[in-house]
Amino acid sequence: MIANPHTKYQAFQSIKLKKRQWPNNTISAPPIWMSTDLRDGNQALIDPMSIQTKLKFFKALVAIGFKQIEVGFPSASEIDFNFVRLLIEDKHIPEDVTIEVLVQARFDLIEKTVESLRGAKQAILHMYNPVAPAFRQIVYKTDKAGVKKIATQGTQWVKQLTANAPEVNWTYQYSPEVFSSTEIRFAKEVCDAVVEVWQPSADNKIIINLPATVEMNTPNTYADQIEWMHTHLKQRQHIILSVHPHNDRGTAVAAAELALMAGADRVEGCLFGNGERTGNVDLVTLAMNLYTQGIHPELDFSNIDQTRKLVEECNQLPVHPRHPYAGELVFTAFSGSHQDAIKKGLAVQQQDGLWNVPYLPIDPADLGRNYDAVVRVNSQSGKGGVSFLLDRAAGLQLPRRLQIEFSRIVQTVNDKTGKESHANAIVELFEQEYFKQDTPVEFISSQFSTLTDGQQSIDIQFNYQSKKQKVSGIGNGPIDAAANALSQLVKQPVEVVDYHEHSIGSGSDVSAVCYIELKVGEHSASFGVAKDSNIMIAAVKALVGGVNRKVGAVSPS
Ligand code: KIV
Ligand code: ZN
């Protein structure tokens, strides 16, 4: 980088709007969507798509709900020409879908393009020519009058040649290429002249598409340009005003949204933002941004993973794991405090139906994602995440202090490995730490009886050093009796601090899970947990397990 970038780069000269309206507007309905995945997107691929791949992509776009799809550049590519023919001849285009093709303003190219579309029920013929100063001066070595003439002459040819194919219901689209860096009054002059030649009507509107071929500045400057065109173009009532933002500065989505607020009716872009250089505007993000504001975009991304995989396969390009709405990690929280908030948020949903979960702007289920990936546990995570996964994967609802105790155990493992712990590994660790605590005392069975004074007595049979043994105890209740029996066994007081239980499973498979927080002698309190079809046995096992965790070696009396 150079020390004084102003010696190399000039700031974009934005237009001055006296009574700017768009900041007060909101988007209340979806725009007309146009997918240019098969044209602008395809032109930007390392390996452009084959006909078969294009067909697969086309069908997916139709299934998502696109009604306008730019399918190629038939005068520039034989594959594209043949693809358009295939779509028409093999009747792949639904009645309510209009295909679109791109062409430059040259008679022979327009002729070939019209030929490619013969027999289609309806089609959009999209002609463009560059009009910006750098292109006039450097690329085409012509002046304003020269590029304006190319636009009007080209439009005249489109009019003449499409008239020879009256079986097609034609819509004409004109793009002053690099509109974003064109003098605004001149862009209007060219567009007005094109409209004048085409003579659109209320029944046959022209599409004037204003591309940010290269994104030039903050998105508000594009919105200003669109509002100015929206309010100054002649015959605005006969024009569908379209935008085509590229993403050079990373703000194409914002530019498109502000452009809609500024008066645009239609947006061209690609799924997941594929396209030249940094891409076209991402139609998935735009659509889902609308959805999260309560507006159905009329595009269906209910199975976002399937859509993402298909697009990755067709484009041979990966979608970033943090890509809005679609990336693998976008609904995942690793941080402990986020997990905690999400866990609490999910627990209180469904009361009024309105989505309000901290850190999740949208319900992953609406995109066909499940909650498994919402919480993932690594060394940054805490009790919320660990207990969320235990609940989802094994139905275990840990009391709060056990959440803290067990998450420290998970943390130690994660710190050691430096890696994430998956749900099944966490369940396994929990079972190892609590359910499989059978040394030194291995529980075999227990029997309770009620004494004449109302007290409970218990006999516990267990294995110790491969020998079957028995210990007995009396208490105010069964758990107190069991704790007293175990106190005798370990020759230290066993005191129950807290007790929780819940059922797990259903029907004949139902079991009870008992969580007992206990103190053994001077040791700090900790938990024993056990599962059994009999709730009393589960409690005794939990106590034995808890004692085993605290007392390495006992010598039973
Ligand atoms: O980015 C662009 O300017 C284009 C035009 C052909 C519309 O893709
Ligand atoms: Zn483009």
Side-chain angles (χ1 to χ4, degrees):
M1 288 171 71
I2 60 172
N4 297 305
H6 67 272
T7 60
K8 192 166 180 180
Y9 300 102
Q10 272 186 322
F12 173 75
Q13 293 305 310
S14 50
I15 61 163
K16 308 268 172 281
L17 272 193
K18 287 213 182 78
K19 289 189 183 137
R20 183 179 285 107
Q21 293 298 310
W22 63 260
N24 301 324
N25 297 339
T26 48
I27 307 170
S28 55
I32 301 167
W33 303 107
M34 198 284 267
S35 152
T36 184
D37 287 273
L38 301 174
R39 196 280 294 171
D40 216 353
N42 186 48
Q43 284 183 279
L45 296 179
I46 301 160
D47 296 316
M49 290 178 241
S50 66
I51 290 190
Q52 282 320 312
T53 307
K54 279 193 140 193
L55 185 58
K56 196 167 170 183
F57 207 145
F58 178 80
K59 288 183 175 170
L61 292 168
V62 168
I64 288 167
F66 285 98
K67 302 296 175 207
Q68 296 186 357
I69 303 172
E70 194 168 38
V71 293
F73 201 162
S75 62
S77 144
E78 263 325 281
I79 290 187
D80 283 9
F81 187 95
N82 294 335
F83 177 57
V84 176
R85 292 313 308 153
L86 175 93
L87 288 178
I88 297 167
E89 285 165 21
D90 289 1
K91 304 193 177 4
H92 290 296
I93 311 163
E95 291 280 303
D96 60 347
V97 171
T98 305
I99 58 168
E100 168 168 340
V101 293
L102 184 70
V103 67
Q104 287 162 314
R106 269 181 38 195
F107 186 85
D108 55 334
L109 303 182
I110 298 169
E111 201 173 27
K112 185 163 184 188
T113 304
V114 170
E115 242 358 85
S116 76
L117 288 163
R118 289 216 73 128
K121 190 166 166 273
Q122 64 248 346
I124 300 170
L125 195 143
H126 174 193
M127 193 195 79
Y128 77 101
N129 71 307
V131 294
F135 286 75
R136 298 193 307 257
Q137 290 146 21
I138 303 167
V139 187
Y140 295 98
K141 306 215 180 328
T142 184
D143 54 10
K144 283 182 174 171
V147 292
K148 182 174 165 188
K149 180 75 196 151
I150 293 171
T152 51
Q153 175 65 81
T155 304
Q156 192 63 57
W157 286 328
V158 173
K159 203 168 176 178
Q160 175 193 332
L161 290 165
T162 52
N164 296 337
E167 77 278 15
V168 184
N169 185 1
W170 294 100
T171 299
Y172 179 48
Q173 169 171 339
Y174 173 69
S175 295
E177 201 197 7
V178 212
F179 163 79
S180 43
S181 56
T182 303
E183 306 89 330
I184 194 89
R185 285 174 199 284
F186 179 57
K188 168 186 144 55
E189 187 182 321
V190 175
C191 292
D192 281 344
V194 164
V195 171
E196 183 71 30
V197 174
W198 187 255
Q199 293 179 349
S201 64
D203 296 334
N204 188 14
K205 291 188 180 179
I206 186 172
I207 301 171
I208 294 292
N209 181 49
L210 303 176
T213 308
V214 178
E215 189 172 48
M216 301 303 290
N217 203 324
T218 46
N220 58 306
T221 58
Y222 186 55
D224 281 355
Q225 291 172 312
I226 300 301
E227 182 167 307
W228 193 89
M229 291 294 276
H230 167 58
T231 49
H232 287 77
L233 276 172
K234 285 188 192 157
Q235 294 199 50
R236 175 65 184 91
Q237 74 281 16
H238 297 153
I239 294 172
I240 294 169
L241 194 61
S242 174
V243 291
H244 178 110
H246 278 268
N247 193 36
D248 298 82
R249 296 169 50 92
T251 56
V253 165
E257 290 177 332
L258 300 192
L260 289 174
M261 289 158 62
D265 309 303
R266 180 179 185 268
V267 179
E268 301 191 350
C270 292
L271 300 188
F272 309 114
N274 181 42
E276 297 280 11
R277 307 180 306 283
T278 51
N280 289 74
V281 68
D282 171 20
L283 297 183
V284 177
T285 302
L286 276 179
M288 295 317 300
N289 281 356
L290 275 179
Y291 184 81
T292 59
Q293 300 307 301
I295 300 164
H296 201 289
E298 290 165 20
L299 295 178
D300 184 4
F301 293 112
S302 300
N303 195 338
I304 197 77
D305 286 345
Q306 193 187 56
T307 305
R308 191 192 71 221
K309 280 181 199 140
L310 177 124
V311 173
E312 286 181 325
E313 188 192 314
C314 294
N315 288 346
Q316 291 287 293
L317 286 173
V319 171
H320 197 279
R322 302 226 179 263
H323 193 99
Y325 302 106
E328 188 202 329
L329 293 178
V330 297
F331 300 122
T332 299
F334 285 104
S335 124
S337 59
H338 290 209
Q339 293 175 341
D340 217 40
I342 291 173
K343 181 173 169 260
K344 287 175 182 152
L346 287 175
V348 298
Q349 286 313 290
Q350 287 152 26
Q351 278 161 14
D352 61 4
L354 284 178
W355 183 254
N356 186 16
V357 177
Y359 299 114
L360 288 181
I362 183 171
D363 183 352
D366 291 353
L367 292 157
R369 306 267 292 247
N370 62 30
Y371 297 104
D372 289 349
V374 167
V375 167
R376 284 170 59 175
V377 169
N378 64 12
S379 57
Q380 300 294 313
S381 312
K383 64 177 182 3
V386 170
S387 53
F388 179 86
L389 290 187
L390 276 178
D391 191 356
R392 278 192 62 76
L396 296 166
Q397 292 150 24
L398 274 49
R400 193 182 134 74
R401 282 197 294 274
L402 177 57
Q403 292 178 15
I404 296 168
E405 178 181 303
F406 181 60
S407 74
R408 287 202 185 114
I409 295 167
V410 177
Q411 184 86 12
T412 310
V413 172
N414 289 337
D415 281 342
K416 224 180 269 166
T417 62
K419 296 243 161 64
E420 172 187 7
S421 289
H422 292 286
N424 46 7
I426 291 175
V427 173
E428 214 171 282
L429 185 62
F430 186 86
E431 289 177 349
Q432 201 64 41
E433 184 64 35
Y434 296 98
F435 292 167
K436 296 187 182 153
Q437 284 292 351
D438 51 11
T439 51
V441 177
E442 187 190 356
F443 174 85
I444 299 175
S445 59
S446 59
Q447 298 79 37
F448 287 100
S449 51
T450 308
L451 303 177
T452 45
D453 59 0
Q455 289 212 304
Q456 290 284 322
S457 86
I458 187 169
D459 293 333
I460 305 174
Q461 285 80 30
F462 59 94
N463 272 328
Y464 177 73
Q465 293 184 335
S466 311
K467 272 208 318 223
K468 200 170 174 183
Q469 307 195 27
K470 188 179 108 174
V471 67
S472 304
I474 294 176
N476 294 331
I479 294 176
D480 190 36
N484 289 340
L486 289 171
S487 301
Q488 289 179 44
L489 182 67
V490 298
K491 302 189 183 78
Q492 299 178 62
V494 174
E495 185 193 328
V496 173
V497 178
D498 207 357
Y499 173 90
H500 294 265
E501 67 183 40
H502 65 77
S503 59
I504 195 169
S506 57
S508 58
D509 218 22
V510 76
S511 309
V513 187
C514 287
Y515 306 87
I516 298 187
E517 190 177 14
L518 68 163
K519 252 177 119 335
V520 181
E522 293 308 306
H523 295 282
S524 55
S526 66
F527 280 83
V529 187
K531 185 164 77 163
D532 198 279
S533 55
N534 179 315
I535 190 165
M536 288 322 301
I537 293 181
V540 180
K541 278 181 171 176
L543 272 173
V544 173
V547 167
N548 278 338
R549 289 187 68 231
K550 279 292 159 193
V551 185
V554 291
S555 44
S557 40

